[in-house]
Amino acid sequence: MVNRLEREKFEYATLSPFATKSAETKGRIRWEDPCNLRTDFQRDRDRILHCKSFRRLAHKTQVFISPEGDHYRTRLTHTLEVAQIARTIARALSLNEDLTEAIALGHDLGHTPFGHTGEQVLQQLTDGEFSHNKHSLRVVEVLENNGQGLNLTFEVKDGILNHPTSASPCTLEGKVVQLADKIAYINHDIDDAIRGKVLLESELPRDCTRILGQTSSERLAGIVQDIVHESDMKNDILMSREVREAFYNMREFLFKHVYVGSVAKEQEGKAKRVISELYQYYMSHLSLLPEASKDRLEKNDTEKQIVCDYIAGMTDRYAVNAYRELFFPKSWHIY
């Protein structure tokens, strides 16, 4: 049997000098006795995997709102693809794969129904206070486990909070997830856009596909290999200049042709109205919120915060059903 202490020793013997070692974690807010078998980062991964917020990702939009078809990505499948890409990079660079996986699995726990469309509405309604990465941190610190939070390690929470492009994770494992997130959505959003006839493969910019690859598998393999090559034995996660420019040019192309104004977004206005009207209604009818939400008021959370918590935790279908229940007329009959 390999116990936790042996695993921690194994990390010192095999991981890169730049890797985050489990035994050197900055720890949790609340002390817990160590597990005999699992390292702290393994425990964090397991807690995220088994939490309710993770399961709800299966019914939250990635890019395409309410698509007809079973093969379009959801927020959950996106998360799993990020984890797979990030683990591949971490393993090749001899980084801490358990920490990498925990961050990847938790990075989008706070995402709203209807993806970034829902996030944008809550941002506007809260004067910029809401963001999915900050809410993901709130989920694991406060909301999960019946209001007790998951009590994750500092390194995992840092990676979750700082996965957006503009942020700076404090570990290389967090930086790996930050890049893997973009690699995943650029590749799978191209795939979904072609499947949905939003794009033709021939319309992809040739200067990008020439460098990154013609197919999804070629692009994934090429980008990952480039990162591993450029980052090997360095205290940073890097891309070559040529690949980086092609990568971000492809991302910009998707923003212009898929993420903004395409037929894939034709339901966006309706989704915005659902989130906006639910928010306004619950702000005026706090008594209709679940007891767990109302209990947060007694813990000094604002009304705005608890309404955002409730709406952000909804799946797409739950939000639509709540909207229908509140705003659609019901059939009248005599019993």
Side-chain angles (χ1 to χ4, degrees), residues 36 58 71 73 105 122 137 203 221 263 270 297 304 322 326 329:
N36 290 333
H71 298 132
R73 269 65 170 197
L105 293 178
L122 290 183
L137 182 64
E203 293 176 319
V263 294
K270 296 176 184 178
L297 280 175
K304 184 190 300 185
L326 292 174

Side-chain angles (χ1 to χ4, degrees), residues 10-26:
F10 184 74
E11 288 182 1
Y12 282 108
T14 60
L15 294 187
S16 162
F18 305 116
T20 306
K21 313 303 189 298
S22 300
E24 297 177 7
T25 175
K26 293 182 181 179

Side-chain angles (χ1 to χ4, degrees), residues 260-277:
V260 180
S262 74
V263 294
K265 310 295 282 182
E266 61 185 7
Q267 299 300 312
E268 193 172 89
K270 296 176 184 178
K272 287 181 177 180
R273 185 163 62 250
V274 168
I275 298 298
S276 179
E277 293 188 18

Side-chain angles (χ1 to χ4, degrees), residues 128-198:
E129 293 177 18
F130 183 90
S131 66
H132 81 274
N133 57 306
K134 291 180 182 177
H135 194 68
S136 293
L137 182 64
R138 179 170 170 81
V139 167
V140 300
E141 284 191 327
V142 176
L143 301 179
E144 266 294 341
N145 193 25
N146 298 316
Q148 299 301 307
L150 300 180
N151 198 29
L152 303 180
T153 56
F154 169 85
E155 293 80 6
V156 173
K157 292 191 297 182
D158 173 84
I160 290 172
L161 176 64
N162 291 306
H163 76 268
T165 304
S166 59
S168 299
C170 72
T171 66
L172 290 190
E173 290 82 2
K175 291 183 179 181
V176 167
V177 174
Q178 187 181 52
L179 261 183
D181 183 31
K182 299 174 186 61
I183 295 168
Y185 73 65
I186 286 174
N187 277 280
H188 64 51
D189 291 351
I190 290 172
D191 188 35
D192 283 355
I194 291 172
R195 176 178 289 108
K197 298 184 178 5
V198 175

